[in-house]
Amino acid sequence: MLKQQLQFKLSQKLSPQQIQLMKLIQLPTQAFEQRLKQELEENPALESGKEESSEYDSDEYEDDFQDDFDSEKINAEDINVDEYLSDDEIPEYRLQANNYSSDDEERSVPYAAGTSFHQHLLNQLNTFSLKENEREIAEFLIGSVDESGYIRREIADIVDDLAFTQNIYSEQEQVEKVLLIVQHLDPAGVCARDLRECLLLQLHRKEPTDAVVLATDILERSFEQFTKKHYEKLIVKHNTTEEDLRKAIHEIERLNPKPGGSYAGSNRMVEHVVPDFTIRIMDGELELSLNGRNAPDLHVSHTYNNMLKGYKDSKIKSKTHKDAVLFIKQKLDAAKWFIEAIKQRQETLFVTMNCIMHYQQEYFLTGDERKLKPMILKDIAEAIDMDVSTVSRVANSKYVDTPYGTKLIKDFFSESMKNDEGEDVSTREIKKILETVILEEDKRKPLTDDKLAAILKGKGYPIARRTIAKYREQLSIPVARLRKEI
């Protein structure tokens, strides 16, 4: 039996323009520039540079053309649309100018080609006199080196890989013999299998002073006690004095635990932070500016706008006419929407950061992190009458250039905690005080988490020991035993 039912449903949908805006807002400066470049390449109706704004009205042209198209009959023959094409459609060979003399010097910009870390090691290998089989094993070992300079694989696994992937049959003793050879490559410590071996390789290249000899003995016989900083046990076991132990430890601390990271030509990607905002202090007042790279000059192409007018004024209406108009209109609309989204992005970024700047005014005027107020996303969202998600997109992965360095915006946000006077204080302020207390402690007798909790309680911050441990881990500060110095 058929049954008819009426149901009311309320739903909320985002328009493509809103989605585009949200995606643009969350982009930092460098990613935004790439997105802008992509849009300029994909949409010929969008142009960069200063120019008068276009008077293009999409609805007007759509209605006018639709009326004309419906009222007139489609001709059998399609019109030639070549005259409406822009310069972008002209073949490249027709635009090339041959105005150069045979005497003209052709100038080109040279490109710098770096040498990778592995290639650097292979180049050194060419200075060794090796048999063919040994050279193949050595090249395979170098190929197994990670970016830190270590070979983090068992010799037995390397022997198996040589047999299965390179068709090279060898014994563990032979591979270990070749490994000793490649461990003589620069930088010192490269091709080690663990940290202990890496440090020992570097010590073996040093002049054998008393401190170096003791440091080598400690790493060979008491590496575990050294890593746990059991200095009293080391003094007894190695029959040495506290002063000699201090010199030996100083030698070890000067070594490089990641020899691969010291190679300048390793071709690793280097991240450059481009601040999205700049805050300066002018006559005691804060001044905020948006990075100019976030505010490009864009306009709708007049060429495409004139093309649309030409189709509208044309008396001949055909299927080709309509397809061309719809294509041009689509590109013009996309350009118009993108320009509007850019303007809204600029306004949203500036309004949000301006609110954050005034909320944390004491910090930006002094640079003292203890002046940071408790601030969450909701506080800023309510102040500027925007959604929390919008504020989150602005704060995420964006930087601000301040008189005290370039800072990540989301670092200004923190939860609140009440002190012994009942006032709300920022957890960032508590972490800064904790960091200062640990920095000023006696390194011969570092403070435990219980003692740190007692000190902060005496300063007016009643914090539990487990909270101290959590903050300490967030600050990448080790436990008291590992902070001990001799």
Side-chain angles (χ1 to χ4, degrees), residues 49-55 299-300 302:
K50 293 184 178 180
E51 193 169 338
E52 295 180 2
S53 60
S54 173
E55 299 178 355
H299 62 271
V300 176
H302 286 275

Side-chain angles (χ1 to χ4, degrees), residues 132-238:
E132 183 179 353
N133 193 42
E134 291 177 339
R135 179 171 295 277
E136 291 175 343
I137 296 174
E139 291 177 353
F140 188 84
L141 289 173
I142 290 175
S144 302
V145 175
D146 63 14
E147 62 179 12
S148 298
Y150 288 84
I151 297 179
R152 304 185 189 271
R153 306 185 61 202
E154 297 293 334
I155 297 297
D157 296 335
I158 294 178
V159 171
D160 291 340
D161 281 354
L162 282 168
F164 288 112
T165 64
Q166 306 297 319
N167 200 25
I168 300 173
Y169 297 96
S170 59
E171 300 293 336
Q172 290 195 30
E173 294 77 11
Q174 185 181 10
V175 174
E176 289 176 353
K177 178 184 175 182
V178 177
L179 178 62
L180 293 176
I181 296 175
V182 297
Q183 285 179 344
H184 283 83
L185 302 176
D186 289 328
V190 74
C191 298
R193 287 163 287 183
D194 52 41
L195 177 61
R196 175 176 168 273
E197 186 176 35
C198 176
L199 299 178
L200 284 171
L201 287 172
Q202 296 177 60
L203 286 175
H204 289 155
R205 298 198 189 184
K206 285 180 171 288
E207 183 182 350
T209 61
D210 293 339
V212 172
V213 171
L214 179 56
T216 304
D217 191 35
I218 290 173
L219 292 180
E220 289 178 343
R221 298 170 50 204
S222 311
F223 183 70
E224 186 176 354
Q225 287 87 347
F226 168 73
T227 57
K228 294 181 179 179
K229 297 195 174 183
H230 292 164
Y231 297 134
E232 294 80 5
K233 294 181 180 180
L234 291 176
I235 292 174
V236 174
K237 184 175 181 178
H238 295 270

